[in-house]
Amino acid sequence: MLEQIKSITFCPKAISLPTLILSLALVSSTYAQVKTETPVINTDIQSFENSKQSLMTKLAEIQYINAKFSQVIVDESNEILQEGEGVLSISKPNLVNWHTTEPDETLIVSDGKDLWFYNPFIDQVSVYSFANSIANTPVLLLTSEDPTLWDAYQVSQHNSNSFLIHSLDANSQVKSLELTFDKEKLSKLSILDSTGQMSHISLIDVDFTT
């Protein structure tokens, strides 16, 4: 699939970003105009560090995920704005294949060096530095084995199965990412953006390898 993507004409400034918030998050550092605000910081530093270490330990056990997903985007009033579905594969280190099939097809692929964003409707590709993208996109923490990347995020733990990753960058388009586990398996991702929209991504038929 990556070889097919590389054959597409590069035209990064002409691409129209899809409305699905995950795709927006992955390329937001280039396109988004964000609001400046002060993030809420957990004053219990020890609790913050314990939660971060606990989550990092859980994610360190995950080497590969292959799953279908369903996605629901809601506004600040919890009104549904959009629904979608697709398939994803994540493999460490830094390999991603995220294929949204509904309502609009898009493909996000990482080879560990570059992040490729493909819109088949207009047959165009945008390419981004993976290192720059992962620094601003907490979803990509799932693919990394570099502990220093976590310095840009605060982690709190709601319960034994739910962790909230909060960006410390006031200009981040993605304000938080919540990861929910079913036992040791990642089952849901919830992404909050700077406009107040929340994207809930539920994993289905997960092939999970530790």
Side-chain angles (χ1 to χ4, degrees):
M1 181 65 73
L2 184 57
E3 292 304 317
Q4 295 175 349
I5 292 175
K6 287 183 178 180
S7 69
I8 305 297
T9 302
F10 289 80
C11 190
K13 292 187 178 180
I15 194 168
S16 297
L17 297 183
T19 53
L20 292 184
I21 188 61
L22 176 67
S23 300
L24 172 63
L26 291 173
V27 296
S28 62
S29 60
T30 300
Y31 287 93
Q33 297 296 320
V34 298
K35 299 183 296 183
T36 301
E37 59 185 57
T38 303
V40 177
I41 306 301
N42 189 343
T43 56
D44 188 346
I45 302 301
Q46 188 60 53
S47 175
F48 158 55
E49 290 299 327
N50 290 344
S51 296
K52 182 183 290 188
Q53 289 301 318
S54 180
L55 176 57
M56 290 173 64
T57 298
K58 271 184 175 291
L59 294 179
E61 297 297 320
I62 300 175
Q63 295 299 315
Y64 173 80
I65 299 174
N66 187 52
K68 298 177 183 178
F69 67 85
S70 63
Q71 183 172 28
V72 178
I73 301 176
V74 298
D75 62 16
E76 292 178 287
S77 301
N78 210 35
E79 295 291 328
I80 295 177
L81 301 176
Q82 192 174 69
E83 297 180 82
E85 59 186 45
V87 294
L88 69 90
S89 295
I90 293 173
S91 183
K92 291 179 179 178
N94 303 334
L95 302 180
V96 177
N97 188 314
W98 194 296
H99 186 191
T100 300
T101 56
E102 297 290 342
D104 301 304
E105 186 178 15
T106 56
L107 183 63
I108 298 167
V109 176
S110 167
D111 62 0
K113 179 182 178 181
D114 296 313
L115 192 70
W116 307 71
F117 182 92
Y118 174 46
N119 186 331
F121 181 75
I122 57 176
D123 203 30
Q124 290 179 341
V125 169
S126 294
V127 184
Y128 305 87
S129 162
F130 184 85
N132 291 339
S133 298
I134 197 170
N136 297 289
T137 310
V139 170
L140 296 180
L141 291 171
L142 300 176
T143 73
S144 177
E145 296 179 325
D146 183 358
T148 63
L149 295 174
W150 289 87
D151 293 343
Y153 300 98
Q154 170 186 320
V155 180
S156 58
Q157 188 169 357
H158 293 174
N159 52 56
S160 60
N161 295 319
S162 178
F163 295 84
L164 185 66
I165 303 170
H166 187 96
S167 175
L168 297 178
D169 181 359
N171 291 320
S172 176
Q173 176 70 9
V174 177
K175 293 305 179 184
S176 68
L177 166 66
E178 184 174 8
L179 302 179
T180 302
F181 293 80
D182 181 2
K183 296 180 180 179
E184 297 305 313
K185 295 186 177 183
L186 182 64
S187 60
K188 184 177 180 180
L189 302 85
S190 296
I191 303 168
L192 176 66
D193 78 354
S194 62
T195 70
Q197 293 184 8
M198 177 76 77
S199 178
H200 299 289
I201 302 167
S202 299
L203 303 185
I204 307 164
D205 298 333
V206 184
D207 177 10
F208 174 91
T209 302
T210 59

